[in-house]
Structure formats: C-alpha cells, structure tokens
Amino acid sequence: MTAPAEPQELLLKLLDPASRANPYPVYRQILDSGPMQMPESTLHVLSGFTECDEVLRHPDSCSDRMKSTSAQQAVAAGEAVRPFGPPGFLFLDPPDHTRLRKLVSKAFSPKVVKALEPDISGLVDGLLDNIPETGQFDVIESLAHPLPVAVICRLLGVPIEDEPQFSSASTVLAQGLDPFVTFTGETQGLEERMRAGLWLRGYLRELLERRRAQPADDLMSALISVEESGDQLTEDEIVATCNLLLIAGHETTVNLIANGILAMLRNHEHWTALSADPGLAPAIIEETLRYDPPVQLASRVAGADMTIGDLRIPKGDIMMLLLAAAHRDPATTERPDVFDPTRGQIRHLAFGHGPHFCLGAPLARMEAMVALSAVTKRFPNARLAGEPVYKPHVTLRGMARLDVAV
C-alpha cells in the first residue's frame, strides 16, 4: 500500500510542467487529502467546493496581498513588494476596490455586452472565413486568441496593431499569478516579468497621453475624463486598471473558448449537438467553466481570525483556493470527471463570488457562446488532429496550440 503523499510533495506535483496537460489527477489527490495547513508558511490550501465557496463569500476574506503576514514581513525587510505601483482593482479591497470597480463596471454591463453581439458575430465569421474548408487549423491562432484580443482592444481603445507586443508581455506577466513563491518560497522568471511589467505600464502611459490629446469612444478615454473632473482616479490607477483589463480581458477568454472546443471534440456528441442547436451553447459554456476552468486557482488573505469549516485560520494567513479541484468535488457534483453539459444544475466558482465576482463574466460568456456556436456549425465534422500543447501557466492554465482537422 502506497503511503499518502505529503502536502508539499502534492503541491510540487501541481507545479510540475509534466502535470500541465492533465492536472486533475493531482487535484483529486489533494482533494482526497483534505485541507492542507502549513502554519510555518502561514498558508492554507483548500480544495473542497464548500470551503472554497465559503472563503470567497466571507466578509473577512481580503484580496489585497499587502494585508498578509508574509507581505508585511517583506516590507519590514525592506523588499519592494509592489514594484509596478498600485495593483488593479482585482487585488484591492473596499473602499478602493468599490470605487474603481464602479467606474469600470458600466463598460461591462449586460446592456453594453448585448449591444456588442453583432460585432462579435462579425469578428467570428471573419476569422472562420480565413480557415480553409479542408485540411487543419490551430484553434488558438485562428479563433480563440484573436477574438478576445480584438474585443478588449476595441473596448479599451488599444490599437490592435500593437497586439503582438502586449500579448507577449501579458503572457509573461500571467506567470506571475502562479504560486511558486507561495508554495516553494522560490521566484522563477522574476527579472523577465519585471521587464514585461515595466514595458506594459510604460506603453499604457504613452497611450494615455495620446488619448488625452485625442479622446475617443472607449474606456480609456472615459477614465481620463473621470480623472480630469476630480480626485476619484489617479493616472497610476488608470494605468493599473487598463493593465488588469488588458491581461484578464483576453487570457482567460482565450482559455474558455479553447477549453470548450477541446472538451467537445473529445466528447463529439456535444460538438454534433451544438452544430445543430445553438441554444445548447450556454450549458456547454457553464460545463466547460466547471470541468476545465480558465482560472484554476485563487487566493485570499484572512483579514481577521477566521473559521472555515473546521479550520481555524489566523489573521494575515493566505488561503489558496484550488478552484479546479473544487469543481470536481464528488460531494457537490455527480460524475465530476465527466464532461456533461446535460447534467442539469452546474455549480462552479469560475467567476468567483462576492464583491470580486468577475466583472467580465457577461462578456466572456457572450464571446464563448458566439464562437462555439459558429465553429461547430461551420465545421460539423471537425476532429482533433493531435494532442494540445499547453503554456507553462498553472493559474491561468491554457493551450498554446490546438490542431483541428476539417
């Protein structure tokens, strides 16, 4: 009989690039092991659905890492914990989070998103028109990547011709979300992320100056007008907000579209069903969000002494939530390892809960709905042309290439 793996051993397996193509057996091991508490690291790793859901909803859960014991220790040691300046509002707590989110939320309201549907459909049709009717194509390069990039560029006011530069920077920065420091105490690729982060902030500042001189009908111009009308918004906050939206606005939606396509091609009856009935798209998207979520991990800081389930969590400790494990918790979902959009109620935490519920959820769902419906209708007999190739990211796990034959 094999002895159960130690918590540190399981977490290292999760970080191992060999697990990227299929991390779910590791997640199951962690889930079966129960919550991991490492008081010497002020870290608690939670993988059950109920516990993760409770943390996301808890009023004492904080998103500002500066409130953690480890960050305060780094500050006391003279380390620069925020080398780029203030973070995006995703990593802030009220009142700053409330103020910034309110200013941005109008651009992502259901009404605004609905009005974008014809443009998104046109973009998808144009991308699919460029795919040959026979042969094979890379889903990432041909559809899943260019669509969200075009949409977020249009919303923010970022020139689409600059896409290769900021996409390259955003890919590097996305690795900064991976919990290498939290799990191992080691930094990986820090210098490269510093260069990418400084470049992207500098790029956005230059673009802000152009928008000041020539305002347009976009979110960046709207944020500038707010800044110039009073003290609600600083230039650093505009840069941080645009930086967050540019990265979060396309990395996660690329993964959602690609993950949905891969899941249907591996379970072809759902590809065939959607090609005949676009009304099935919402259920397929929700099941994709549960089964293979674009964001696999999230973290919170205990803003006070907390009790989650049977766990006591001291103020300042970090709670790492393994959302991808929680989604496959058999206590919550029957047959959790099966992709089944017809299962009825689909419960997931892919967009979070509480005050930090994903602002872009309606837009991501809309883009995925249009893309998945159109690609299955256009290519009803499509099939996988090889195993997918994955990026190194752990938190924003996604594919770098997915070849499909038509």
Side-chain angles (χ1 to χ4, degrees), residues 31 46-57 290 308 321-333 345-350 352-353:
L31 184 63
L46 308 176
S47 53
F49 188 96
T50 300
E51 291 80 13
C52 290
D53 183 50
E54 186 176 352
V55 170
L56 291 173
R57 296 175 185 271
R290 181 201 70 81
I308 301 296
L321 313 180
L322 305 187
L323 304 181
H327 289 178
R328 297 196 181 202
D329 187 344
T332 303
T333 302
Q345 185 185 23
I346 299 171
R347 298 184 66 191
H348 64 74
L349 306 170
H353 274 311

Side-chain angles (χ1 to χ4, degrees), residues 386-404:
E387 287 302 305
V389 177
Y390 279 84
K391 297 177 185 177
H393 304 166
V394 180
T395 300
L396 302 185
R397 174 178 169 270
M399 289 171 265
R401 186 176 185 89
L402 177 61
D403 290 325
V404 172

Side-chain angles (χ1 to χ4, degrees), residues 31-51:
L31 184 63
D32 289 346
S33 299
M36 299 176 178
Q37 292 191 283
M38 288 162 272
E40 69 283 357
S41 304
T42 64
L43 173 65
H44 310 261
V45 181
L46 308 176
S47 53
F49 188 96
T50 300
E51 291 80 13

Side-chain angles (χ1 to χ4, degrees), residues 42 48 148 170 184 195 198 216 228 269 293 310 341 368:
T42 64
S170 125
T184 69
R195 287 194 298 271
L198 292 171
E228 293 175 345
E269 68 274 18
D310 296 327

Side-chain angles (χ1 to χ4, degrees), residues 237-305:
E237 288 174 331
I238 297 176
V239 170
T241 297
C242 292
N243 183 74
L244 168 66
L245 296 175
L246 194 60
I247 297 174
H250 81 272
E251 288 280 350
T252 52
T253 309
V254 171
N255 295 350
L256 172 57
I257 293 170
N259 291 356
I261 288 173
L262 176 63
M264 286 191 291
L265 288 173
R266 284 177 168 168
N267 301 271
H268 212 279
E269 68 274 18
H270 300 301
W271 183 279
T272 302
L274 182 58
S275 69
D277 182 4
L280 299 176
I284 286 171
I285 291 162
E286 297 310 305
E287 178 69 345
T288 300
L289 288 163
R290 181 201 70 81
Y291 176 79
D292 199 10
V295 181
Q296 304 245 307
L297 318 171
S299 67
R300 294 291 187 268
V301 176
D305 290 345

